[in-house]
Structures are given as structure tokens and as C-alpha cells.
Amino acid sequence: MCQCNTFKTNKKIHLEFIISAFTCLIAFSCANPLQPVDSEEAQLVKAELKGRSFRQFDPSRDAKKRKGVILDFFSGVGLWAQYAEGNTALSEWEILAADYTVEKSGSEYRIYFEAPRSVQILPTQCDNCIGTSGLSISIRDLFDKEKMRFKLNIENADFPRPFPIFESWTKFNEDEYFE
């Protein structure tokens, strides 16, 4: 009878250990699910985005007070942002980089600006006066035009208006250019 209780106690300890180890494994994998892509996949992502531009306004383009964002991939990557009231832009700036790195997790690609530079246009013009650390762009379902969604990841609380904006998955409208 004593051996039976010891066996049950040991079995319970082993089960608790396995559950704890499994929980730690899940927590660790969820804490950092993004992984760098190989150069071939990075080139596929860049080829898919090259020459494209996406824009979105919150709450809408015609709202009295609105926030606007444009993501462009003409020469690397660019993020343009504006806060406007009526016909007057009160804050406008952009962050540009000639290149970017790519990470992936599931259907999400995350883009990180390489050697970014910033330009503030309004309220006062200045170069590289906006900190760019903690900025990335997430793209879900990149290769499906109908399902593609964006999310802006900003860990820097000092970003000027219009941020925070589009921190959840949002469909951006793609600009169409005709040659």
C-alpha cells in the first residue's frame, strides 16, 4: 500500500513536470514566433511589393479629423503619415529606407527598415528628428490581393501624430498606377 501511494505521488510529480515543461515551451515559442527568412524568400517578398503603394485613412479620407498612412515600396520602403483637420495638415512626416529585412511567422511577414532616415514636414521641417527604433510593418497574406492586411508595429511611444494608428490588421487600399 505504501509503494502504491509512492508510485501515484511520483506519477503526479512527473505529470506536473511534463505540463510545466510543455507550458514553458509554448510560452517561449509564442514569445518570439518570427524567424528571419532566407535570401530567396526575402527576394520573393521584395519582388511582390516592389513598385506598389498602399494607403489608409482613419476614420475615412473625408472625415473632418483624420489620420492617414501611406506605405510605399518604390525605392525600398517608405512610411508617410499625416494628421489633418479639415483642409489643413497639422502633422506630416515620413520614414524611408533603401532596403529592409524580412521575418516570417505563418502567413505574417514583418518588415524592418534598414538604416532608416526620417523627414518631418509639419509642423516644422527637420531631417532625422523622428526616432525610428521599434518600427516595423506586418503584412498578412501578402500573395493574396483580396486577403492582404497590414499592421504597423511601433514600440516607440514618442512617435508624433497620427500614431498610434493601424495597430490591428487593416486592409489598405492599393494605389493603381498607369504607365
Side-chain angles (χ1 to χ4, degrees):
M1 188 168 188
C2 186
Q3 287 180 339
C4 205
N5 285 339
T6 303
F7 177 74
K8 286 182 182 179
T9 303
N10 286 340
K11 187 176 179 181
K12 183 178 177 184
I13 290 171
H14 286 124
L15 184 59
E16 288 174 351
F17 174 78
I18 290 170
I19 291 171
S20 294
F22 186 69
T23 302
C24 289
L25 180 63
I26 290 172
F28 178 77
S29 66
C30 291
N32 190 10
L34 293 162
Q35 298 294 318
V37 299
D38 62 34
S39 61
E40 186 176 316
E41 188 170 8
Q43 291 308 313
L44 285 173
V45 168
K46 291 177 181 184
E48 182 68 19
L49 292 170
K50 185 157 183 62
R52 297 173 78 181
S53 175
F54 306 88
R55 66 179 63 225
Q56 190 54 273
F57 295 88
D58 181 46
S60 72
R61 182 180 193 147
D62 300 321
K64 183 168 176 65
K65 294 181 180 182
R66 66 197 171 281
K67 302 170 181 180
V69 169
I70 298 174
L71 305 172
D72 78 62
F73 299 90
F74 299 122
S75 301
V77 60
L79 166 66
W80 172 90
Q82 182 187 76
Y83 173 75
E85 293 183 7
N87 293 328
T88 306
L90 301 175
S91 179
E92 184 176 347
W93 51 268
E94 63 184 322
I95 296 173
L96 306 158
D99 202 3
Y100 54 91
T101 58
V102 181
E103 291 183 350
K104 182 180 181 183
S105 175
S107 68
E108 175 187 352
Y109 286 98
R110 188 167 294 180
I111 292 170
Y112 298 91
F113 293 66
E114 278 190 10
R117 62 182 178 85
S118 66
V119 178
Q120 181 172 288
I121 302 146
L122 293 170
T124 55
Q125 190 155 356
C126 61
D127 291 338
N128 293 316
C129 58
I130 298 170
T132 58
S133 66
L135 172 67
S136 64
I137 300 168
S138 290
I139 306 170
R140 187 167 59 189
D141 297 315
L142 171 62
F143 300 101
D144 186 333
K145 187 174 182 173
E146 298 303 315
K147 292 182 179 179
M148 187 174 9
R149 299 290 185 267
F150 293 89
K151 181 172 68 166
L152 302 176
N153 311 297
I154 301 171
E155 298 169 9
N156 181 347
D158 295 330
F159 262 78
R161 289 195 309 189
F163 288 95
I165 187 172
F166 305 122
E167 294 177 310
S168 59
W169 293 107
T170 304
K171 180 170 179 56
F172 276 50
N173 298 311
E174 183 168 2
D175 295 322
E176 293 187 30
Y177 295 95
F178 302 99
E179 294 182 28

